[in-house]
Each structure stands twice: as structure tokens, then as C-alpha cells.
Amino acid sequence: MQVDIVKVAQLARIKLKDAEKVKLQKDLNSILDYVAQLNELDTKNVEPTSHVLNLENVYRKDDVKNWPIRDEVLKYAPLTADGKYFKVPKVIEGE
Amino acid sequence: MSKDLFRMTLKEAAGFLSSPENFSALHKSLTDRAGAVDAKVKAYTQLNHDGKDFLAKTPRNGKPLWGVPVSVKENICTHGWETTCSSKILKGYIPPYDATVIRKLRDQGAFLFAKCNMDEFAFGSSSETSAFHPTFNPWDLERVPGGSSGGSAACVAADEAICALGSDTGGSVRQPASLCGVVGMKPTYGRVSRFGLIAFGSSLDQIGPLTKNVEDNAILLGAIAGHDPLDSTSANVPVPDYTKSLVKDVKGLRIGLPKDYFISGIDPEVEAAVREAAKVYEQLGATIKEISLPHTKYGVAVYYVVATAEASSNLARFDGVQYGFRYPTDNLLDMYVETRDQGFGQEAKRRILLGTFVLSAGYYDAYYLRAQKVRTLIKQDFENAFKEVDVILCPTSPSTAFKVGEKMNDPLSMYLSDIYTISSNLAGVPALSVPCGFDSKGLPIGFQLMGKYFDEPTMYRAAYSYEQTMHWYERKPKL
């Protein structure tokens, strides 16, 4: 298995240094070679498990609850605006 | 007693803590102990020096755990107290709420004494990937304490804690408990609320107690377990009084020894200690039966697909927008990629990338879906085994504590150190590590008991019976 590390890093939104790319590509390939042993098994008629307890879907009433923590959340945020918003760099280009 | 208050068990501390004066004495004793040994062990990232604030806000009022100091892993949210997952990317994150386990402990009067170091985001088996510093094994400071809850295990072993909480996604409570010679429980999936536990692998994660003995473990699990409306995967199953299981009686208990766990690669001294424990159980009246968990050898492969897939998704939220570290730029995409480059360490990047890959278009069926199917086979192994036996006995870790740096450049060999602990997370069954002796280098060995869903009581009974026969906990590291 050959991983395209540049493409995967783009999908994961992580910038990699050139030296890291070589090492991580090698690591991922060797881990995936190890994972390939799963191909020994016949899993055609096996149901996948995503959760171990067979829980029913959990519903609750759609009640409004007061959780007055906005100020505290924003107090430690990296950058905020007007005491109400997280502030980020401009998303839409141009004027 | 007055000189060595820090050596108390949870049970002893709860009995001792009858007044604010006794609380202050114990708090001072533990703080002094941490001051004396933590420069060597480095189990802690932060200490709570504010006993006065605790006393002012926490009237005793018959609370069962009043004043009991609990040390908490860095990935469990504590209102108003920095919670970093030992990662640069969460530096400065002050949670605006308590995890449910923390709220429960506070409601019962417990005192949050310290934050425990861990592998960054719980990605590791040695506590070396922390962005703060590595933690060292109290039994040999040149060796790792295990991980990822290495700080939680080391502080208990070093008697700079009364008890601690860790989290376990693939062995992160049990493997360090084994390597440090303490008791560590991963409860049944859903037994303990995950609300406020910063997520790694949501279908695998459980919070669990690390303690000096089995009795303390039963008390602490009882204090944190239970259904939580804030965690839709928590199970609505009544919590029994685990301390009622603390009886020395295993007559007729059927114990399975999985032959698939005693394979090449296991340290002969570890194997001998676990087989010796099986003999002790036989002498106590249990029956030992060889069983098979035939898909064990696929566990690590399944785990490193499922856990990294879930981690890559869970860690997408760390992008510099809402909390922790942000790399300042004037372009949004650059902000994301630079923040994540500088905020995450090597192992976090490796796992995020691997998880992203196995979920990506064209590879999902071959990796993720296949792994989820093999996970079903692993779960069925346990269902079949528990038709024949009540608990399963095996090693917790294939070796005792390894040297610092020994496995850092070889991720796969690090991953394989979790070979015995991973399956129970994949299947969701409870598993408990109990000290069962020392190797020729004087390093602790632990065995693991795995049980049926929600059958922690039988595991505690079995563990207590062994512990009270062998008394390994009486031996302490020299620090």
C-alpha cells in the first residue's frame, strides 16, 4: 500500500514539513502493511460493529434549556468579537 | 500514621477526613510528598494548592468522599481548571463545565488534587508523547510508566496521590496500572459517562479508576458510574454496590485462560507470574479452563483502523477557532493547517493522518468497514467464551516496563504493547489489571481479568480474593 501523504494531509488540514512527510509516509505504509492481515479473514457475511451495546436510539424532548456559559466560553477563546462571536480571518475573498 | 498521611488508601482517607484540620493535614502531606518525589516521577502537570477555597465551598454534610483527594488525567474537563490533553493545541483551554465524573465526585465531596500527565490526546503507551514532559516509572526512573494514563498510574504508585482517574481506549488505564503495580479498571463500555472526557475513540473510550488496592477501586468506580442523560451512549443499567463484592471467595468460579494470549513475544517472567496466579485461584477453589479467543491476533490491526478513524474525526474540532492555541494568520485555511501543524505532536499527526486515510474515498470499504466486521468477530469470541467461563485471566501487558525511548521510533512495536488490552475495548467488556508479582529486575507484573458486560462485581470479587491472599500491594517503590 502506498499512501499519498500530501493528499491525506490536505484532507486532514495539517501542514507537514518536508522531513515529516517522508517519515510519516513510511510509518503509515508499514502500519497499513500490518493491517493487511485482516484480508486473511472471510468477512462477507459478517455484520460490522460500530457500537458494542445494542442501544436504541435515544430521544429526548426538544426543550430549550438555559446554559449560561457564553461569556465563559468566549473568555478563553483565541479571538472574539463584540463579546458574542468567535473571530476568524475573512472567509470570503474580495470586496 | 501522622507522618505518612500520603500513604493512605482511599478507604483510610475517607475515614480519617472528619474535620477541616484533618483535610488540611492530608492535603499538606500529599503536597509535600509531590514536592519531594515529583521532580523525579513527573506524574503531575498541575497541583491544586487551594485547600482553603475547597473548604469554603464544600461543607461536609455527610458527603461520603468529603475531602478525599483525587488526581485526574489531563483529558477530563474540570470547570475553571486548565485541561490540555497534554497537547500544545489545548494550551490555555479552561473548560466552562465539569465532566460528569467530576461533577459526581464534587457532589460527593471529593477534592480535585492534581492533573495527571498523559500521552498527547491519549495517543501512546508510554506517556512519552506528552507536550509537557515524559513521566517516569516510580519503580525504575529510567523506564516508562506505560500509557496513556501514565501520570495517573505513576502518582498512585509513588504515593503522591490517594487515587486517580484515567481513561482507557485500548488499554490506557490497565497497561500503566500493570507497569506501575497498581489496580486499574476499564469498566464496561457505557458504565461511566463520557461527557466531558475529551474524545479520542468514541466507541471505545471509558473513564476508569487507578488505585492502591481493589477495595479503593470498587469505591471509586461506584462513585463515578451510572447513566447520564448528557451521554447518549451511557447505559441505563443500575449501579450495584461494588463494595459488597469485596469477599474472599472464588469457590466454583470458572476462570478461562485464553491460549491465544500465551504466544511468542510474551516475556517468560510475565507468563510465569500469570500462570502462578491461576494456580493460586485453583487453590482458592476456582476452576481453571483453557479457552480460545481465536481472533485475538487481529485486535491490534482492527484497533489502529477503528481508533484512528474515530480520532481523526474527533480531533477535527481542534482548528484554532474556539479554544486553545491559534496560529495567527489572515487566511482561514492557513490558520487551520498552521495551527494543526504547530499544535499537534508527531504521534497525533500520525494517527490523524492514518484515520483520515482509512476513511477517505476509495479506501473506506477496504479498511474501515473491514475492520468493523472483524470487530464483530472479536466480540463474538468473547460471547462464546463467556458461555463457558465467568471471567478470563490473562496478562495485562506482554512485558514489564520498558526503557524510556526504547519504542519511540517504532510506532508498530509501541502499538503491539497493547495486544492484550485492545480486544476488551473493541468488544466493550470490562477489564481490570491487578498486581501479581515482580520480575527479576524488581518491576511490577500485572494480570488482567476480563468479565461479562456489567459484571464488574464478579471481577472485583475475583481480584479481591487474589489480592488478599498475596498482598503484593504491601511492596512500595523506593523513591
Side-chain angles (χ1 to χ4, degrees):
Chain A
M1 187 64 235
Q2 284 298 309
V3 176
D4 181 350
I5 198 78
V6 175
K7 184 176 169 225
V8 177
Q10 261 168 11
L11 291 172
R13 295 283 188 262
I14 297 183
K15 198 177 119 179
L16 298 176
K17 298 162 195 83
D18 284 341
E20 268 182 329
K21 281 179 199 161
V22 177
K23 165 86 173 110
L24 286 167
Q25 169 132 1
K26 189 169 145 278
D27 289 347
L28 259 56
N29 285 334
S30 82
I31 295 164
L32 290 169
D33 283 345
Y34 178 81
V35 168
Q37 64 173 301
L38 298 181
N39 297 327
E40 294 165 12
L41 294 165
D42 179 4
T43 54
K44 220 183 325 167
N45 298 315
V46 182
E47 286 291 313
T49 294
S50 56
H51 264 274
V52 290
L53 303 176
N54 296 320
L55 296 172
E56 301 278 315
N57 202 1
V58 178
Y59 296 98
R60 61 169 170 77
K61 282 197 179 137
D62 191 17
D63 293 333
V64 176
K65 278 185 194 150
N66 199 14
W67 221 32
I69 61 168
R70 188 182 69 188
D71 291 351
E72 215 175 332
V73 168
L74 290 171
K75 188 171 157 193
Y76 302 109
L79 200 64
T80 58
D82 303 337
K84 289 185 200 166
Y85 308 108
F86 297 109
K87 194 171 178 185
V88 294
K90 196 149 106 181
V91 180
I92 300 159
E93 299 294 325
E95 285 303 308
Chain B
M1 182 70 112
S2 65
K3 197 171 119 242
D4 285 351
L5 294 177
F6 57 84
R7 293 208 190 274
M8 282 200 261
T9 64
L10 192 171
K11 179 78 186 295
E12 288 164 353
F16 170 77
L17 288 160
S18 56
S19 66
E21 292 70 34
N22 283 3
F23 168 77
S24 299
L26 176 57
H27 184 209
K28 180 176 187 307
S29 173
L30 270 181
T31 306
D32 290 350
R33 173 69 174 175
V37 300
D38 207 52
K40 292 183 267 186
V41 178
K42 297 179 102 52
Y44 287 145
T45 52
Q46 310 174 68
L47 278 187
N48 183 356
H49 294 284
D50 206 348
K52 276 191 191 136
D53 178 68
F54 169 80
L55 287 173
K57 288 180 181 157
T58 321
R60 189 154 171 259
N61 291 350
K63 294 186 181 83
L65 297 179
W66 185 80
V68 171
V70 182
S71 302
V72 179
K73 190 175 179 179
E74 269 282 350
N75 60 353
I76 300 175
C77 286
T78 45
H79 188 182
W81 195 9
E82 191 177 11
T83 301
T84 66
C85 286
S86 290
S87 177
K88 263 193 234 167
I89 211 159
L90 273 175
K91 194 170 167 32
Y93 173 58
I94 314 270
Y97 63 94
D98 274 333
T100 295
V101 295
I102 297 297
R103 183 184 53 71
K104 279 174 169 268
L105 287 174
R106 288 199 213 257
D107 287 350
Q108 291 166 78
F111 170 64
L112 304 180
F113 172 61
K115 282 288 177 83
C116 303
N117 197 29
M118 57 184 281
D119 280 296
E120 181 181 8
F121 283 104
F123 297 156
S125 310
S126 68
S127 302
E128 293 168 283
T129 70
S130 163
F132 293 107
H133 47 72
T135 295
F136 301 97
N137 193 308
W139 293 90
D140 178 348
L141 296 167
E142 290 180 359
R143 291 174 187 272
V144 303
S148 66
S149 311
S152 303
C155 69
V156 173
D159 274 330
E160 49 176 322
I162 300 299
C163 59
L165 291 184
S167 67
D168 191 314
T169 306
S172 281
V173 163
R174 293 159 287 154
Q175 184 256 17
S178 174
L179 270 46
C180 290
V182 301
V183 180
M185 171 69 108
K186 181 206 85 79
T188 306
Y189 182 81
R191 178 71 294 180
V192 176
S193 169
R194 295 184 295 109
F195 179 76
L197 170 67
I198 297 176
F200 162 5
S202 303
S203 77
L204 306 157
D205 296 341
Q206 272 290 285
I207 294 170
L210 294 106
T211 55
K212 297 178 186 180
N213 62 28
V214 175
E215 179 176 41
D216 282 4
N217 211 278
I219 295 169
L220 192 51
L221 179 61
I224 61 171
H227 179 244
D228 179 12
L230 297 173
D231 173 5
S232 60
T233 63
S234 78
N236 203 347
V237 175
V239 181
D241 180 352
Y242 295 118
T243 61
K244 290 216 171 99
S245 310
L246 302 171
V247 288
K248 200 173 156 184
D249 176 16
V250 290
K251 278 183 203 72
L253 188 74
R254 299 170 303 163
I255 300 177
L257 273 184
K259 61 179 184 196
D260 323 84
Y261 281 53
F262 298 94
I263 44 163
S264 65
I266 183 172
D267 178 337
E269 291 191 80
V270 171
E271 172 163 1
V274 176
R275 291 200 183 277
E276 193 58 39
K279 281 190 198 145
V280 171
Y281 273 120
E282 261 185 328
Q283 283 157 11
L284 291 172
T287 54
I288 303 289
K289 186 177 163 63
E290 186 175 83
I291 57 158
S292 178
L293 299 166
H295 296 93
T296 298
K297 71 166 187 155
Y298 301 104
V300 173
V302 171
Y303 179 83
Y304 279 91
V305 173
V306 172
T308 59
E310 294 184 9
S312 74
S313 168
N314 277 323
L315 271 64
R317 62 171 64 87
F318 302 109
D319 55 9
V321 174
Q322 297 172 79
Y323 22 57
F325 166 75
R326 173 190 293 192
Y327 180 85
T329 67
D330 51 13
N331 171 296
L332 190 67
L333 187 61
D334 285 348
M335 186 189 91
Y336 292 151
V337 300
E338 293 279 358
T339 297
R340 288 163 69 80
D341 172 36
Q342 300 192 18
F344 288 131
Q346 266 307 272
E347 184 60 24
K349 285 184 183 175
R350 192 180 289 126
R351 297 210 192 184
I352 291 169
L353 292 168
L354 182 58
T356 303
F357 174 77
V358 299
L359 291 175
S360 63
Y363 298 103
Y364 178 92
D365 283 359
Y367 289 98
Y368 186 69
L369 189 63
R370 178 169 287 270
Q372 294 282 46
K373 289 179 168 191
V374 180
R375 185 177 183 181
T376 303
L377 299 175
I378 290 171
K379 191 173 173 237
Q380 287 168 353
D381 282 356
F382 281 98
E383 286 161 2
N384 291 331
F386 285 126
K387 285 174 192 156
E388 297 177 62
V389 297
D390 303 308
V391 292
I392 295 169
L393 171 69
C394 62
T396 305
S397 168
S399 72
T400 53
F402 45 92
K403 286 254 166 83
V404 172
E406 191 179 317
K407 298 187 180 186
M408 273 304 270
N409 290 318
D410 184 357
L412 198 54
S413 93
M414 185 75 90
Y415 297 173
L416 287 167
S417 70
D418 296 333
I419 189 158
Y420 299 136
T421 48
I422 274 173
S423 300
S424 52
N425 297 83
L426 291 170
V429 296
L432 172 69
S433 182
V434 180
C436 69
F438 294 84
D439 71 3
S440 51
K441 296 188 278 286
L443 300 168
I445 303 172
F447 70 57
Q448 178 176 227
L449 290 169
M450 299 190 280
K452 299 173 188 172
Y453 293 104
F454 301 103
D455 196 18
E456 286 87 355
T458 302
M459 296 156 69
Y460 279 135
R461 177 160 63 90
Y464 184 79
S465 301
Y466 175 84
E467 177 196 72
Q468 294 303 313
T469 305
M470 302 305 290
H471 300 279
W472 294 111
Y473 59 85
E474 287 169 6
R475 208 191 289 191
K476 297 276 187 181
K478 290 183 188 69
L479 278 164

